[in-house]
Amino acid sequence: DAGVIQSPRHEVTEMGQEVTLRCKPISGHNSLFWYRQTMMRGLELLIYFNNNVPIDDSGMPEDRFSAKMPNASFSTLKIQPSEPRDSAVYFCASSLGVAGNTIYFGEGSWLTVV
Amino acid sequence: DQQVKQNSPSLSVQEGRISILNCDYTNSMFDYFLWYKKYPAEGPTFLISISSIKDKNEDGRFTVFLNKSAKHLSLHIVPSQPGDSAVYFCAASGSGNTGKLIFGQGTTLQVKP
């Protein structure tokens, strides 16, 4: 039974480059979340979608970050241009409904910007 | 400004003993609290939760206690097992049981055989 699938698992990129992280939620789930984990700030919610519609993007750090969910089975988080302070683990999660106790996280995308 | 704080970055206990992980929060509007467990190179997984209308919730070896007046919650694991070794995150929600969660920094638990 496939869980939340994220790609790439690891990415190293140079400052100024565009980074695109991808997520395939669990089939049938209608809510999708993007979280970021850093040493300094821990796990932070960046944005979440319900039925493919962005509901709350107040956690998106700045205009360099954008997220899309063109359909129920795919979402992207894009950083353009990337900066070293964007280095973090980015987690995608999905749930049926928006209940916190039913969220399933992917394994994360480890991003390093040099 | 950290609204959910886990002041102990790490905890080490002996197998069979009790593990107590603590979490403090500052926002009195939080009304739902969760604990997640995370193994290396994996995403967090839901462990146990509690609503603000309760002061205790138990699930097998795991019990969460909530003290609203002190804005404090704790996770008790009894008895601790080596497989419990992981990072534990406390999280809070201000709108009921939603996925819009504010996480603590995490506590790394090591259970020694």
Side-chain angles (χ1 to χ4, degrees), chain A residues 18-22 34 46-47 49 54 57 60-69 75-81 90:
Chain A
E18 177 180 293
V19 174
T20 300
L21 308 178
R22 298 173 178 79
W34 282 101
L46 299 178
I47 184 171
F49 297 82
D57 65 354
M60 295 286 264
E62 48 197 274
D63 291 346
R64 297 184 297 107
F65 286 69
S66 62
K68 293 182 179 179
M69 191 165 186
S75 176
T76 59
L77 178 67
K78 188 173 292 187
I79 308 172
Q80 167 63 20
Y90 291 81

Side-chain angles (χ1 to χ4, degrees), chain B residues 4-26:
Chain B
V4 177
K5 299 178 183 179
Q6 294 175 255
N7 292 318
S8 298
S10 62
L11 175 68
S12 181
V13 301
Q14 208 64 35
E15 180 179 6
R17 306 294 290 270
I18 184 172
S19 295
I20 300 177
L21 296 97
N22 293 303
C23 178
D24 297 295
Y25 61 96
T26 58

Side-chain angles (χ1 to χ4, degrees), chain B residues 62-94:
Chain B
F62 303 91
T63 303
V64 57
F65 294 92
L66 175 63
N67 182 334
K68 283 188 295 183
S69 61
K71 296 191 179 68
H72 177 83
L73 63 156
S74 60
L75 174 68
H76 292 212
I77 307 173
V78 183
S80 302
Q81 300 173 353
D84 297 329
S85 298
V87 179
Y88 289 79
F89 290 96
C90 168
S93 171

Side-chain angles (χ1 to χ4, degrees), chain A residues 68-111:
Chain A
K68 293 182 179 179
M69 191 165 186
N71 56 62
S73 59
F74 184 67
S75 176
T76 59
L77 178 67
K78 188 173 292 187
I79 308 172
Q80 167 63 20
S82 58
E83 297 182 2
R85 60 192 167 123
D86 302 329
S87 298
V89 184
Y90 291 81
F91 289 101
C92 178
S94 71
S95 69
L96 181 59
V98 291
N101 62 351
T102 61
I103 288 180
Y104 293 84
F105 282 80
E107 295 182 327
S109 291
W110 294 65
L111 174 65

